[in-house]
Amino acid sequence: MTLEAGSETRVDAQPIIDSCVQHGWRDQQEITAYMSPGWREYLGRPGLLPNGGGAISIAVGSAYKFPARPGVGREAIRAITDPADLRTRLFDRGLADHAVLGFDEGGFATALINPYLALEIARAANAWTLEKWLPADPRLFALMLVPTQIPTEAAAEIRRVGLSPRIVGVFLGGNGLGKSFGHPCYHPIYEAAAEMGLPIVIKAGGEAAVIDSPASVGAMGDPATYAEARIMESHSLMTHATSLITQGVFERFPSLKALLLGGGVLWVPPLLWRLDEKYKGLSREIPWVRRLPSEIFRTHIRVGTYPFDKAPTPALLGKALRVFDHIEDILCYASGVPSWDADEPAMLTRQLPEGTVPAILSGNATALFPRMQGVSCTALHSVSP
Amino acid sequence: MAGPALFDCDIHHNWKAEEDVLHYLPRRWRDSLHSMSPPMMWLQQSFGTNARLDSFGAGGSPPGSSYEMLRTQYLDPFNVRKAKLSFYIGQNGGLVNPYLADALVRAMNDWNRDYWLSIDDDRLISVILLATQDPVQAAAEIRRLAGHPKLVEVLLVPNPLGKPFGHPIYDPIHAAAAEVGLPLGIHIGGEGFARPTLNVAGGQANCKLDFLALQIEPMMHHLLSFIVHGVFERYPALKLMLIEMGLAWLPAFAWKLDAMVDVLRRETDWVKRLPSDYIRERVRLTTQPMEAGPSRRHMVELLETFDGIEDVLCYASDYPHWDADNSVVIASRVPKAWHAKLFYDNAAAFYGMPPLAEADAGARVDADA
Amino acid sequence: MPDVGAESDFQEGRPALVTVRGREVAVVRWRGAFYAVAARCPHMNALLSGGVVCPKLTGGADVGMIELDERVPTLACPWHGWLFDLHTGAPAWDGTYGIRTYRASCEDGRVHVSLDRVRAEPP
């Protein structure tokens, strides 16, 4: 479903909101430029020492690296580090009408073990997004990054940066405290987000991306391979979904919504069935959970489609999706561009059940991100290439 | 008698008094033994017990400790033909002192052999329990007890080393089990006793519902590790039973593994076949606690998205735990075409025993003899 | 109304199983009143008479609070702990799977249970 720039309305055009495009910085000086002079000086500039050294790297250190096939071009998965590049690789190819910028692994820097550095990076990353990205293309919206290690600072950042109208959600980034995200220590963040009318966003992969994070990659410790870490990324989403529900986040903040992405979608029905069944016998411990967990999930939680589950056959995928009641209410299309396993809308629409496509491609996103209400694909035509 | 003939793969048996087991513990260890179980994180059940409230024995003896009660409350009325006794729940080998852990588990295995396995009831079979902190010692325990006709499985519960059970550090256990021709069983629930792991990905459990709902995570991690580390390749006959984790998570997880097979192969030499084929050939799952889903159709159709699911399911009750299943109810939730395999024959084949029809015929011959 | 026993046969807070016209009924004595409900749990058919009676616990004004409502007895199934309000038969989560409630009373030291269905209101 490609679009030529400047064409008339597409036949069976479907508005597409991409809930997860991962923008990044090419050079950390782009970020340190927004820090205080003292922090910038401390972090340094390459060149102070021989061989280009002299700067403290703010890159996250991971134990896992995607093992790209040798000799295969890396072009498609090259980081997206400027808006023009994003325009070429996303909008010009007709892959979305609007996109929500949600940081690449740089966003997980909020789990870096130095909490003040994590705070400075979050603030700088928000300023950078607001100055470099949003003005460059009106089709872009963005998540703001918060320093989850210091929830009171995160709340202050939300009340400040959240005033910008094209900031549409709060990305929790890396889990620097290591607690499940429903834990009361994080509630000041949710209070601020709810106050500002912003949903929170949890993306899988932070534990693997940042060795500093105290949270586990896998329930039985560190897996040995990137592949295992990637396979188990839905597990942290299960943990956080469960925690948000059982720790009463949505009781305290009834207007709050959450988007979970990076683990595909089929982990949801088994977890919800399991939660409901067990809840019926365990509610005495958590009487503030006043509805079935699945009802709370359906009201407050949305799931990004990326990376969409791959089934042995289309028929089997159809069967699995049919078992997932009201899937059209819960999923938000997300590409995950420029990840190696990024999705495209055409691939998805081929597989989704009849009648679910409009909601999944854009309807649920505009409900989840209220600041995006009113966008439409006609906006595309008003943009000069 | 209610319900189909059962090969029950998970029943939790217990001692009436600690002294029954301590009797077997060398005197040298008794003073060091401050508790029969390693400390666990605090999360507890309503009313302070994880047992069915009606399974306490006469005089308050612990659930699962009385053969008479097991027989009259469960085995006889529910048509149980084979009952695999798996301790309550076997986390005792997770004590921080590996030597004491090993001694305690040996004492438990001896008690089990002398008390339960000497009962004249052919239905009763059981497991070799391991302390897992020292895999070499654990391997010795396997070899010590293998050969007893009623010990059909090697059971892994606590995980104090913080690596999933397929990791090469556990190779002595894999090798010994393969050598003696016994399958491995993994029973989830012992993770609360092992500090090195946080028990869930991404955070911790902060209430019992968190803990129980998310226990599927360690089970998936264990299963994944057997495939990635090539345990099934190195030991061509070794099999694995995944106990008390339900089923609904399996299809989507198997799909993820299969979809990722190319990437898996770039980082390990061991994934020679499609991951789901290893599962179909070597792995079985107990049905309990069987997820209900919004309707019978939902659950059955979800399970059917794993090709060959009817060969992989093995019934378990989990008697006398609070979340035990009722076989009559389970029978109504699954297609009749699955019943023979699910309730008896899959487990019988897994443990090297005759299928139900043959077992019944054999029993008739014995009775006539 | 069928007589199911002497008042002294029923211990405070301990459910008892009686049979009324062939139907299994769990009878509970609680704070001066008698309650009767269908004895089989709608989940997996456990006998509710083997369960525990406790006052209702509810959420409070904020997350983390557990409030006690002494007026409402709840019966916890001995197997999976499903909780039923003994006044209304409703499960703790306000969904499907309630249990049938019957009229129970105590007069002149005898306990009676009627199988006429009761749509009892909570206090």
Side-chain angles (χ1 to χ4, degrees):
Chain A
M1 203 163 46
T2 45
L3 172 69
E4 316 224 292
S7 71
E8 292 304 303
T9 44
R10 291 167 286 180
V11 175
D12 66 65
Q14 198 62 248
I16 303 168
I17 296 177
D18 188 341
S19 305
C20 177
V21 170
Q22 305 185 85
H23 70 311
W25 49 84
R26 184 179 17 240
D27 179 329
Q28 73 179 42
Q29 291 184 93
E30 291 180 53
I31 292 298
T32 60
Y34 293 96
M35 294 183 181
S36 69
W39 269 100
R40 187 161 56 249
E41 175 61 30
Y42 164 66
L43 291 172
R45 285 177 314 283
L48 200 62
L49 294 180
N51 293 329
I56 291 176
S57 168
I58 63 170
V60 299
S62 174
Y64 303 96
K65 185 178 146 98
F66 171 63
R69 223 172 309 189
V72 169
R74 310 287 310 257
E75 227 358 73
I77 63 173
R78 178 173 50 82
I80 293 182
T81 56
D82 72 74
D85 191 28
L86 176 58
R87 187 179 308 133
T88 312
R89 290 160 74 180
L90 190 79
F91 295 128
D92 292 350
R93 294 182 57 215
L95 298 178
D97 295 301
H98 300 276
V100 179
L101 300 172
F103 298 93
D104 62 10
E105 65 177 23
F108 294 128
T110 53
L112 288 177
I113 201 89
N114 181 331
Y116 303 108
L117 175 59
L119 170 56
E120 293 302 315
I121 290 172
R123 287 177 177 154
N126 291 333
W128 165 83
T129 298
L130 284 170
E131 191 173 283
K132 175 174 179 173
W133 291 84
L134 293 182
D137 196 320
R139 294 169 288 190
L140 291 177
F141 295 80
L143 303 180
M144 59 172 291
L145 188 57
V146 285
T148 42
Q149 276 186 78
I150 314 179
T152 47
E153 291 290 357
E157 184 75 352
I158 292 170
R159 292 186 172 103
R160 194 177 62 80
V161 173
L163 292 171
S164 297
R166 282 160 69 204
I167 293 294
V168 299
V170 175
F171 177 43
L172 299 187
N175 191 347
L177 292 178
K179 296 292 185 190
S180 304
F181 276 132
H183 192 283
C185 70
Y186 296 117
H187 289 199
I189 299 177
Y190 308 140
E191 179 178 37
E195 195 180 288
M196 301 297 286
L198 295 169
I200 57 170
V201 179
I202 297 171
K203 187 164 54 159
E207 302 79 25
V210 188
I211 196 97
D212 293 18
S213 175
S216 278
V217 178
M220 287 284 102
D222 291 331
T225 61
Y226 169 90
E228 290 165 276
R230 193 77 184 96
I231 286 167
M232 292 197 291
E233 276 184 10
S234 56
H235 293 190
S236 73
L237 298 184
M238 293 178 198
T239 296
H240 295 310
T242 299
S243 178
L244 289 171
I245 292 168
T246 65
Q247 301 308 303
V249 171
F250 304 115
E251 277 294 307
R252 275 204 169 138
F253 312 111
S255 65
L256 186 70
K257 291 196 161 56
L259 175 67
L260 307 182
L261 40 77
V265 313
L266 293 180
W267 56 272
V268 176
L271 178 68
L272 295 186
W273 298 356
R274 198 176 167 80
L275 273 172
D276 278 0
E277 187 83 352
K278 301 248 171 252
Y279 163 79
K280 289 170 181 171
L282 294 171
S283 61
R284 289 175 90 238
E285 185 184 23
I286 44 172
W288 49 85
V289 181
R290 292 179 164 92
R291 291 172 286 164
L292 286 177
S294 64
E295 283 173 39
I296 298 173
F297 189 103
R298 287 180 182 284
T299 307
H300 294 277
I301 298 178
R302 298 291 172 262
V303 179
T305 55
Y306 153 77
F308 204 63
D309 299 73
K310 289 166 185 49
T313 67
L316 278 175
L317 182 67
K319 190 165 186 167
L321 294 176
R322 272 196 305 280
V323 154
F324 193 154
D325 279 348
H326 304 295
I327 196 172
E328 67 281 2
D329 293 343
I330 293 181
L331 301 189
C332 290
Y333 170 67
S335 68
V337 160
S339 181
W340 66 275
D341 53 358
D343 290 328
E344 292 189 4
M347 176 279 297
L348 206 66
T349 53
R350 268 200 301 278
Q351 301 177 90
L352 289 172
E354 188 81 44
T356 65
V357 167
I360 294 174
L361 281 192
S362 63
N364 292 338
T366 51
L368 173 70
F369 300 118
R371 296 180 184 192
M372 293 184 75
Q373 278 161 16
V375 304
S376 70
C377 65
T378 56
L380 191 62
H381 303 295
S382 64
V383 173
S384 43
Chain B
M1 231 178 345
L6 297 178
F7 193 126
D8 190 333
C9 295
D10 188 33
I11 291 172
H12 294 288
H13 72 312
N14 208 349
W15 46 82
K16 288 203 167 75
E18 289 189 349
E19 185 48 44
D20 297 348
V21 174
L22 294 181
H23 166 74
Y24 291 91
L25 192 70
R27 176 151 277 127
R28 171 251 182 289
W29 283 118
R30 295 202 200 162
D31 289 338
S32 311
L33 188 68
H34 138 76
S35 165
M36 295 283 274
S37 268
M40 69 169 288
M41 65 178 168
W42 180 88
L43 300 170
Q44 290 159 70
Q45 200 84 2
S46 261
F47 313 117
T49 176
N50 67 347
R52 271 169 52 163
L53 301 178
D54 58 351
S55 62
F56 288 82
S61 65
S65 64
S66 158
Y67 167 67
E68 271 312 303
M69 180 151 217
L70 170 66
R71 199 176 60 71
T72 54
Q73 187 173 64
Y74 179 55
L75 300 184
D76 292 349
F78 282 90
N79 203 359
V80 179
R81 308 296 184 86
K82 286 292 176 199
K84 181 157 74 77
L85 306 175
S86 314
F87 295 92
Y88 203 109
I89 56 168
Q91 77 286 358
N92 321 71
L95 295 174
V96 289
N97 181 328
Y99 316 105
L100 175 50
D102 188 68
L104 178 60
V105 155
R106 247 184 284 132
M108 288 172 67
N109 284 327
D110 287 345
W111 161 82
N112 191 28
R113 178 200 57 216
D114 287 354
Y115 178 70
W116 285 90
L117 300 186
S118 66
I119 293 173
D120 181 18
D121 185 336
D122 278 342
R123 293 175 293 189
L124 303 183
I125 52 178
S126 193
V127 303
I128 300 173
L129 184 65
L130 297 186
T132 47
Q133 207 186 140
D134 182 345
V136 171
Q137 274 304 119
E141 183 66 354
I142 295 172
R143 292 185 176 98
R144 183 175 81 91
L145 290 160
H148 190 298
K150 294 194 179 187
L151 292 175
V152 302
E153 180 179 276
V154 172
L155 186 64
L156 303 169
V157 182
N159 190 359
L161 293 178
K163 287 293 182 190
F165 284 134
H167 190 279
I169 200 162
Y170 291 113
D171 184 71
I173 293 175
H174 308 149
E179 180 190 303
V180 305
L182 289 177
L184 294 173
I186 298 176
H187 192 296
I188 289 292
E191 301 69 38
F193 311 101
R195 267 149 62 92
T197 61
L198 291 177
N199 310 306
V200 293
Q204 302 91 34
N206 293 111
C207 62
K208 192 75 178 182
L209 180 57
D210 287 349
F211 181 65
L212 292 176
L214 300 174
Q215 278 179 339
I216 51 177
E217 293 180 15
M219 190 59 101
M220 285 189 260
H221 194 171
H222 285 309
L223 174 57
L224 184 47
S225 74
F226 272 75
I227 294 169
V228 166
H229 294 290
V231 180
F232 298 132
E233 285 291 336
R234 275 201 301 289
Y235 303 106
L238 187 63
K239 295 186 282 192
L240 178 63
M241 176 69 78
L242 304 181
I243 306 168
E244 201 170 319
M245 243 345 83
L247 314 157
W249 53 270
L250 178 68
F253 187 64
W255 289 2
K256 270 192 199 276
L257 267 66
D258 284 355
M260 200 66 96
V261 71
D262 284 341
V263 183
L264 281 166
R265 284 173 176 157
R266 294 178 208 165
E267 295 176 282
T268 162
D269 295 330
W270 288 111
V271 187
K272 299 191 194 300
R273 302 168 59 194
L274 209 57
S276 61
D277 283 343
Y278 288 119
I279 296 171
R280 272 179 277 273
E281 192 182 279
R282 309 295 197 86
V283 181
R284 298 293 176 260
L285 278 67
T286 65
T287 52
Q288 183 269 344
M290 181 176 275
E291 297 86 348
S295 77
R296 177 188 188 276
R297 174 190 71 80
H298 283 80
M299 184 58 180
V300 172
E301 289 194 6
L302 182 142
L303 289 179
E304 285 175 340
T305 57
F306 182 84
D307 187 26
I309 189 72
E310 66 278 8
D311 294 323
V312 157
L313 308 178
C314 295
Y315 182 75
S317 65
D318 190 39
Y319 174 92
H321 281 163
W322 72 288
D323 53 348
D325 279 345
N326 178 329
S327 57
V328 174
V329 172
I330 299 304
S332 71
R333 289 205 202 151
V334 297
K336 275 205 162 49
W338 296 3
H339 282 195
K341 289 182 173 180
L342 188 157
F343 287 112
Y344 198 96
D345 290 346
N346 285 344
F350 185 83
Y351 294 112
M353 297 182 194
L356 181 64
E358 224 179 284
D360 276 354
R364 279 197 293 279
V365 166
D366 289 340
D368 292 341
Chain C
M1 274 172 49
D3 181 314
V4 295
E7 190 180 347
S8 53
D9 292 341
F10 297 92
Q11 285 189 319
E12 172 74 13
R14 302 195 70 152
L17 177 65
V18 303
T19 308
V20 181
R21 301 211 184 98
R23 204 169 293 188
E24 296 170 312
V25 175
V27 176
V28 173
R29 176 183 185 162
W30 174 265
R31 316 256 161 123
F34 280 83
Y35 302 86
V37 293
R40 291 281 174 184
C41 184
H43 182 208
M44 289 209 186
N45 223 32
L47 271 178
L48 293 172
S49 49
V52 170
V53 183
C54 42
K56 187 171 179 171
L57 296 182
T58 59
D62 194 7
V63 170
M65 295 179 176
I66 300 181
E67 301 294 336
L68 179 62
D69 189 346
E70 294 263 18
R71 300 164 306 163
V72 182
T74 58
L75 178 56
C77 176
W79 290 15
H80 305 84
W82 286 24
L83 288 164
F84 301 96
D85 180 321
L86 282 173
H87 281 287
T88 63
W93 56 90
D94 276 345
T96 50
Y97 296 110
I99 52 174
R100 205 171 283 191
T101 55
Y102 302 114
R103 194 185 312 277
S105 62
C106 181
E107 267 142 57
D108 300 325
R110 303 298 302 178
V111 180
H112 298 92
V113 171
S114 158
L115 294 186
D116 297 335
R117 294 249 241 131
V118 174
R119 183 130 321 301
E121 293 306 315

